[in-house]
Amino acid sequence: MKKIKGLHAPHCKNTAEMVPVAIPTPAVVTLPMKMHAGKPAIPVVKVGDQVKVGQLVGEADGRISAPVHSSVSGTVKSIDEIDGLIGEKRKSIVIASDGEQAVYEGLTPPIVTNLEEFLDAVHASGVVGLGGAGYPTAHKLTVKESVQLDYIIINGAECEPYITSDTRAMVDDADNVFEGALLLKEYLKPKKIVIGIENNKPEAIKEMRERMATVDGMEVCELPARYPQGERKVLVYNVTGRIVPEGGRLTDVGCIVINCTTVAVFAHYIKTGMPLVSRVVTVDGSAVNTPKNVIAPLGTPIGELFDFCGGLKDDVKKIIMGGPMMGAAVPNTDLPVLKITNAILAISEKDVEASKPTACIKCGRCTAKCPMRLMPSHIEDAFELKNIDLLKKYKVNMCAECSCCAFLCPARRPLSQVMVLSKKMLWEAK
């Protein structure tokens, strides 16, 4: 098996050994109806309603959607169109907290005795891909009868710099990760369940290995700490040796990849009836005074997370939701914690390079390290020429958008943006 490409990005796992701590209940939370891929949820409450923790406030609009539950107890203050992560308007429910965190009385563990009931429970939990993708988990786990499911790969790689929220899930919530894996084994019946973890997380490997070693058909795969190890196609290749074809799905090669924290959430819901209402967020970066892993109710303004971590340094230049490689820069600290928010980073001015792009020097570094074995500089040329045939030839749709090419480029070419825009150009041409 050929060695997968990629790069040794700085790990910066400053919070890896920090047990998550809960922030004080926020005075107000903002819950967007679209914190996931697919259709937005539909509000089922109105202004002035009293709500409690775990109560349904947004109903899923079909299977490729996800319900939204209140993360605090209090009063619905407004239902408005509010600016989202990338500036788009998203219908959001704003709830003023009463500070009591009273739990909704109607929460009961679901009855799960077969695959259909299991998928319904996963859907009702509100869980989506918590590694950042945000795809509704129940739909991901709905596999056609004709598919031979050989592997379910639980993604514990967490290869992005700084982020350690998944690491803490595998250590502090190891029982729920394991119990979620047992549920997957019982109801989806794969030949094997593997949890892939990079070798820079020894404590997580130990906790998972102790549990999985007790069950036939379950194991831990220790992976090199090499970015982008956690990208789903890269993970499939490194665990199984199988290659997902261009335009294909992971199930085409008999695999499903699911995030480790996602697994823990639906296991917890099936035991307790409490849906996804909070999550662990890594708060770090060179402009954060005291980096921590924090437990925050969904909808908490990210500024309150920074305040809880000692505030920001005076030279803060950029705030990123997610990791530095694939995350998104945000315009202000009023944006809320979302289901997909695994990290909030604040970066100092000295660490934000603003050099202007220069001409490509044809060094080949982008090609040498691309995990998908693409030629980013050629794709950039095709994009600038608006040449659809060349974009197809160079297989831009195989791009994982991992930003390895841009990270390595000595000319500081905007290759990450070009990859995304090239895919869009190809899609529009269809």
Side-chain angles (χ1 to χ4, degrees):
M1 191 167 79
K2 290 183 180 179
K3 183 180 178 182
I4 200 76
K5 296 182 182 182
L7 54 88
H8 292 289
H11 293 153
C12 303
K13 303 288 190 179
N14 307 311
T15 59
E17 296 182 6
M18 295 183 182
V19 177
V21 288
I23 69 167
T25 303
V28 174
V29 296
T30 300
L31 299 172
M33 293 294 96
K34 186 172 171 59
M35 292 188 270
H36 52 267
K39 292 183 178 181
I42 302 168
V44 294
V45 292
K46 61 184 183 299
V47 175
D49 282 357
Q50 300 295 308
V51 295
K52 294 183 178 180
V53 177
Q55 182 175 339
L56 183 73
V57 296
E59 186 176 57
D61 186 8
R63 296 299 279 189
I64 310 182
S65 182
V68 178
H69 303 83
S70 182
S71 58
V72 297
S73 57
T75 307
V76 177
K77 186 177 177 182
S78 66
I79 302 176
D80 293 315
E81 297 285 336
I82 294 175
D83 287 342
L85 179 60
I86 56 174
E88 80 289 11
K89 297 288 185 182
R90 292 192 172 180
K91 183 168 286 187
S92 303
I93 297 173
V94 179
I95 302 172
S97 170
D98 58 17
E100 296 181 5
Q101 289 301 85
V103 174
Y104 180 57
E105 299 86 351
L107 298 183
T108 55
I111 296 172
V112 177
T113 61
N114 56 48
L115 175 60
E116 183 179 1
E117 290 173 348
F118 171 66
L119 294 175
D120 285 345
V122 173
H123 181 70
S125 74
V127 74
V128 299
L130 299 180
Y135 197 80
T137 302
H139 193 264
K140 173 186 281 192
L141 297 178
T142 303
V143 180
K144 295 178 181 178
E145 289 185 8
S146 59
V147 171
Q148 172 59 59
L149 192 58
D150 296 326
Y151 291 89
I152 293 179
I153 303 171
I154 298 174
N155 190 349
E158 198 166 49
C159 57
E160 278 248 33
Y162 291 105
I163 309 175
T164 63
S165 51
D166 281 348
T167 300
R168 296 316 311 179
M170 292 182 286
V171 174
D172 306 314
D173 204 13
D175 286 341
N176 275 328
V177 176
F178 177 60
E179 288 166 21
L182 291 176
L183 289 166
L184 292 171
K185 179 178 174 62
E186 180 177 359
Y187 294 114
L188 271 75
K189 304 187 185 308
K191 291 182 178 178
K192 185 175 286 190
I193 290 182
V194 180
I195 182 164
I197 310 174
E198 285 189 323
N199 58 16
N200 63 349
K201 305 171 181 63
E203 191 175 4
I205 290 171
K206 175 178 175 291
E207 293 289 341
M208 290 292 97
R209 187 164 277 160
E210 285 178 354
R211 289 163 174 79
M212 291 198 159
T214 64
V215 181
D216 290 339
M218 298 176 71
E219 64 182 54
V220 172
C221 179
E222 191 171 333
L223 300 164
R226 189 174 182 84
Y227 182 82
Q229 190 68 258
E231 199 282 326
R232 59 198 183 103
K233 293 180 182 178
V234 172
L235 193 59
V236 165
Y237 180 79
N238 283 342
V239 171
T240 72
R242 300 179 183 185
I243 296 174
V244 181
E246 182 181 10
R249 300 174 181 272
L250 270 59
T251 51
D252 294 339
V253 295
C255 298
I256 288 176
V257 172
I258 184 167
N259 171 266
C260 61
T261 303
T262 300
V263 171
V265 168
F266 68 65
H268 179 71
Y269 172 73
I270 289 172
K271 282 194 302 185
T272 67
M274 178 59 74
L276 177 60
V277 295
S278 65
R279 70 157 303 155
V280 175
V281 181
T282 298
V283 184
D284 202 348
S286 54
V288 176
N289 280 314
T290 310
K292 297 178 182 178
N293 284 310
V294 303
I295 304 169
L298 298 181
T300 303
I302 61 174
E304 295 194 23
L305 276 66
F306 287 130
D307 291 342
F308 185 69
C309 294
L312 300 176
K313 298 175 183 177
D314 292 337
D315 63 344
V316 61
K317 181 67 174 179
K318 182 178 285 190
I319 294 173
I320 300 170
M321 188 175 284
M325 302 295 283
M326 298 183 70
V330 300
N332 57 63
T333 57
D334 295 329
L335 289 172
V337 171
L338 308 173
K339 291 181 180 184
I340 61 172
T341 306
N342 52 6
I344 296 291
L345 309 179
I347 311 298
S348 298
E349 187 169 11
K350 63 182 174 62
D351 296 321
V352 178
E353 188 174 357
S355 55
K356 287 185 65 174
T358 58
C360 175
I361 61 172
K362 308 299 181 187
C363 66
R365 292 185 191 179
C366 57
T367 298
K369 297 296 184 180
C370 175
M372 296 294 113
R373 300 183 181 271
L374 304 179
M375 297 185 288
S377 61
H378 287 52
I379 293 171
E380 184 184 32
D381 291 340
F383 172 74
E384 291 178 350
L385 292 169
K386 295 182 171 56
N387 190 318
I388 300 301
D389 290 336
L390 281 178
L391 289 176
K392 291 179 181 176
K393 177 182 176 181
Y394 296 137
K395 299 187 181 297
V396 68
N397 277 334
M398 288 290 288
C399 174
E401 299 177 24
C402 65
S403 298
C404 283
C405 52
F407 181 84
L408 291 165
C409 180
R412 295 294 179 254
R413 303 298 303 167
L415 296 173
S416 298
Q417 294 92 324
V418 166
M419 297 300 115
V420 174
L421 293 172
S422 296
K423 288 182 177 181
K424 184 173 184 288
M425 183 183 292
L426 205 58
W427 175 259
E428 290 172 348
K430 291 181 180 180

